[in-house]
Amino acid sequence: MNGEFTMRKICLLTIALLTITFVIHYSLILMHAAPTNPISAKYNNLSSTYTSTIFSQNWHLFAPDPINRNVHIYIQVTDDTSKDTNNHWIDMTRHFIKNNNDKVITPYNRTIRLIDGIFADTVGSNYTSDLITKYVNKNDEDDDPVVDMLTEHKKSSQEKGEYSLYRLASSYIRSFMSDKYISMKYLRVRLTVYETVPFSKRNDKNYERKIEYNKTFNWKEISEVSQMY
């Protein structure tokens, strides 16, 4: 009798633990993957830490709009930041695009998508949905807690994006550039976004793409990171 009672308690306890785990797990997943709202913004650090241990994803995976930008990362390396190196920029994005196009199965496809995600983080464009953005832009109150929360969330996204940007650039230097560059100490990054070529202009070789975003970041030390491939 006691054995049956103990077994029943174990079963009920197991069911309760599984239910609690299920609720917590999917609550964190929903807060991370759904469009940003005041609740997900408040618990963003918790949900991001939890989900990033396994995968990284957001609502924009399901966006119906086609790609409307081409993000390029340009880098410079030097041992002396006082030197004028403004004319010598290396387009590291072109390397990934070429290798992705040359191979059917390749990790470069993932890297190319990573570049676009880093850009979105850097400018803070993926920190919220269009609906929340409209709310923030139209709200004139000085002490709106929702606006304050989302502003802080956007700042966190931008810091994360810049950190990831320099980590990716440092890894590229150590993986694909010659010893001449690897031995250098400092790195600078430029993010440039070009519009996509309109379908009607696809055969026009003289068509010049508009630059929609262009920012040069400060010099930083090259990070000690692992090689990519």
Side-chain angles (χ1 to χ4, degrees), residues 71-116:
V71 182
H72 283 254
I73 300 175
Y74 299 93
I75 59 175
Q76 292 178 327
V77 288
T78 187
D79 278 327
D80 185 358
T81 57
S82 64
K83 291 181 180 178
D84 183 12
T85 57
N86 198 47
N87 294 326
H88 185 56
W89 289 93
I90 299 169
D91 185 355
M92 57 175 278
T93 310
R94 188 177 299 277
H95 168 85
F96 297 124
I97 293 175
K98 181 180 184 304
N99 280 276
N100 181 62
N101 293 340
D102 290 344
K103 301 172 183 177
V104 178
I105 301 177
T106 169
Y108 290 98
N109 181 266
R110 173 79 174 175
T111 307
I112 291 173
R113 288 184 286 138
L114 179 64
I115 289 173
D116 192 77

Side-chain angles (χ1 to χ4, degrees), residues 3 5 15 33 46 53 62 64 70 75 79 86 108 169 189 191 204 210 213-214 217 219:
F5 181 73
I15 293 173
L46 176 61
T53 58
F62 307 100
N70 290 315
I75 59 175
D79 278 327
N86 198 47
Y108 290 98
V189 179
L191 263 180
D204 185 356
K210 295 179 181 178
Y213 178 91
N214 190 45
F217 295 83
W219 288 103

Side-chain angles (χ1 to χ4, degrees), residues 9-221:
K9 286 179 64 177
I10 293 174
C11 289
L12 291 174
L13 181 60
T14 302
I15 293 173
L17 289 174
L18 289 174
T19 301
I20 293 172
T21 302
F22 177 87
V23 171
I24 294 175
H25 169 76
Y26 281 100
S27 295
L28 291 171
I29 294 297
L30 285 173
M31 281 192 290
H32 180 76
T36 303
N37 54 70
I39 296 177
S40 65
K42 182 177 181 179
Y43 297 102
N44 174 66
N45 290 337
L46 176 61
S47 62
S48 295
T49 300
Y50 177 74
T51 56
S52 62
T53 58
I54 302 174
F55 62 91
S56 180
Q57 192 53 263
N58 59 37
W59 177 257
H60 299 286
L61 170 68
F62 307 100
D65 298 328
I67 295 174
N68 59 359
R69 65 190 181 201
N70 290 315
V71 182
H72 283 254
I73 300 175
Y74 299 93
I75 59 175
Q76 292 178 327
V77 288
T78 187
D79 278 327
D80 185 358
T81 57
S82 64
K83 291 181 180 178
D84 183 12
T85 57
N86 198 47
N87 294 326
H88 185 56
W89 289 93
I90 299 169
D91 185 355
M92 57 175 278
T93 310
R94 188 177 299 277
H95 168 85
F96 297 124
I97 293 175
K98 181 180 184 304
N99 280 276
N100 181 62
N101 293 340
D102 290 344
K103 301 172 183 177
V104 178
I105 301 177
T106 169
Y108 290 98
N109 181 266
R110 173 79 174 175
T111 307
I112 291 173
R113 288 184 286 138
L114 179 64
I115 289 173
D116 192 77
I118 289 175
F119 167 74
D121 275 333
T122 303
V123 298
S125 65
N126 68 349
Y127 81 105
T128 186
S129 65
D130 293 338
L131 180 62
I132 300 298
T133 300
K134 290 178 181 179
Y135 171 83
V136 173
N137 291 339
K138 290 183 178 181
N139 196 295
D140 297 327
E141 296 182 20
D142 294 332
D143 298 321
D144 189 317
V146 175
V147 174
D148 293 341
M149 186 186 303
L150 291 171
T151 300
E152 184 62 29
H153 190 181
K154 180 177 181 179
K155 180 182 177 182
S156 175
S157 171
Q158 291 173 319
E159 291 174 351
K160 174 186 174 183
E162 185 172 342
Y163 172 79
S164 300
L165 180 64
Y166 275 87
R167 293 277 293 182
L168 178 64
S170 295
S171 184
Y172 173 82
I173 291 170
R174 298 188 180 280
S175 302
F176 305 112
M177 297 180 70
S178 66
D179 293 339
K180 169 187 173 183
Y181 295 104
I182 294 175
S183 62
M184 292 188 178
K185 187 176 182 180
Y186 297 102
L187 159 71
R188 182 164 67 169
V189 179
R190 172 180 290 171
L191 263 180
T192 303
V193 179
Y194 303 90
E195 69 165 349
T196 54
V197 178
F199 184 77
S200 60
K201 302 291 185 180
R202 66 191 186 281
N203 296 320
D204 185 356
K205 296 181 178 180
N206 296 321
Y207 180 80
E208 293 186 8
R209 295 180 299 168
K210 295 179 181 178
I211 295 178
E212 299 178 343
Y213 178 91
N214 190 45
K215 181 177 179 179
T216 301
F217 295 83
N218 296 325
W219 288 103
K220 292 185 179 182
E221 290 190 11

